[in-house]
Amino acid sequence: MRFTSEQRLDDGVLEREFTLGEIPGTLWTPPGSAPAPLILMAHNNGLPKAQPRLVARARRSAAYGYAVAAIDAPGCGDRPRSAADEQARADLRRAMQAGDPVDEVFESFIGPLVEKAVPEWRTTLDALLSLPEIGGPIGYSGWTAVGIRLAVVEPRIAAAGFFAGGYVPHAQREEARQVTIPLLFLLQWDDEGNPRQRALDLFDAFGAKEKTLHANLGGHTGTPWFEVEDGNRFFGRHLK
């Protein structure tokens, strides 16, 4: 892991850009010298780590006392995209805008992306845990499809917060039954891009004995800011 830049924010949080092989990432760490618990934060659908909503959540969680890390998934952010990636994204956008069935297109795009992204997250986690300022336990926040797979294969993750999306690959829908860590599931009731009933069915499928559903009115990007604070308290119960 090589740090390429750093800045100290007004609230004392240290924000550093890093590279790990081909993986670009950002690490936010709270003020103070004690090792902090870590939250892995992935944006829904593999949008860039620099997306303003993700950055705002990460900075707030770091100010709350967590170390927070985000990386760009393969083909996302500044990472190169193949012609097949570009075509899959275009097909998905076109189908959703036209109101056509998207399941087949979605599987062909998101399924392989999950398969590529999860090993990179685990590699990043190994590197982060070697830093003296990070001590664990580990939480996960964000993109549901990647989070399900990580929760199944990565025993170091102790709790997870998912931003509910109705479109989750079939493989992760099956794996949801194996997710037994505490969960906080955020659902936008009027999400124009994700079927509500599918999200509710996914919540029901999780094998966790402690799982909480927060549903708020509004569209896909309308998650209320107070859910960031509730998320920090959720992680406080399980990571601190």
Side-chain angles (χ1 to χ4, degrees):
M1 177 173 286
R2 183 171 66 90
F3 288 102
T4 57
S5 68
E6 69 174 59
Q7 62 171 329
R8 182 72 66 177
L9 306 178
D10 291 342
D11 53 9
V13 170
L14 181 63
E15 180 181 84
R16 288 175 287 176
E17 300 292 325
F18 66 82
T19 58
L20 182 63
E22 298 180 354
I23 306 169
T26 308
L27 175 64
W28 295 266
T29 48
S33 57
L38 172 66
I39 298 174
L40 307 178
M41 193 169 284
H43 201 293
N44 284 3
N45 300 322
L47 292 175
K49 62 181 176 58
Q51 209 282 339
R53 285 184 294 142
L54 183 146
V55 171
R57 287 194 295 121
R59 289 178 173 179
R60 182 58 188 156
S61 294
Y64 201 87
Y66 304 107
V68 182
I71 62 173
D72 280 336
C76 301
D78 294 328
R79 299 186 69 176
R81 298 181 184 177
S82 67
D85 289 338
E86 294 286 8
Q87 186 62 52
R89 289 172 183 271
D91 291 344
L92 183 60
R93 284 194 299 269
R94 185 163 47 249
M96 294 186 73
Q97 289 169 359
D100 295 335
V102 300
D103 290 68
E104 185 174 342
V105 177
F106 184 86
E107 288 281 348
S108 68
F109 171 45
I110 300 297
L113 185 55
V114 170
E115 296 296 331
K116 295 174 185 175
V118 168
E120 293 195 347
W121 270 112
R122 298 187 77 186
T123 297
T124 302
L125 178 56
D126 289 339
L128 290 169
L129 289 177
S130 70
L131 300 175
E133 59 267 41
I134 296 175
I138 314 302
Y140 172 89
S141 174
W143 186 11
T144 301
V146 164
I148 291 173
R149 172 61 61 82
L150 266 176
V152 170
V153 302
E154 182 47 76
R156 292 174 290 186
I157 294 179
F162 294 152
F163 284 74
Y167 288 114
V168 172
H170 180 74
Q172 278 68 66
R173 289 187 168 274
E174 291 298 316
E175 289 174 332
R177 305 180 193 284
Q178 303 174 49
V179 177
T180 58
I181 59 175
L183 294 177
L184 176 61
F185 199 62
L186 301 184
L187 171 62
Q188 285 302 102
W189 201 248
D190 308 301
D191 191 331
E192 61 279 7
N194 287 287
R196 181 191 306 161
Q197 191 57 52
R198 286 195 184 192
L200 293 172
D201 291 344
L202 180 61
F203 176 76
D204 191 51
F206 286 119
K209 292 182 179 180
E210 181 184 334
K211 54 182 179 180
T212 301
L213 172 66
H214 286 188
N216 291 284
L217 297 177
H220 184 68
T221 60
T223 303
W225 181 252
F226 63 72
E227 291 291 2
V228 176
E229 303 299 331
D230 284 351
N232 286 332
R233 286 190 287 269
F234 164 78
F235 285 117
R237 293 195 297 273
H238 301 290
L239 304 186
K240 287 189 175 182

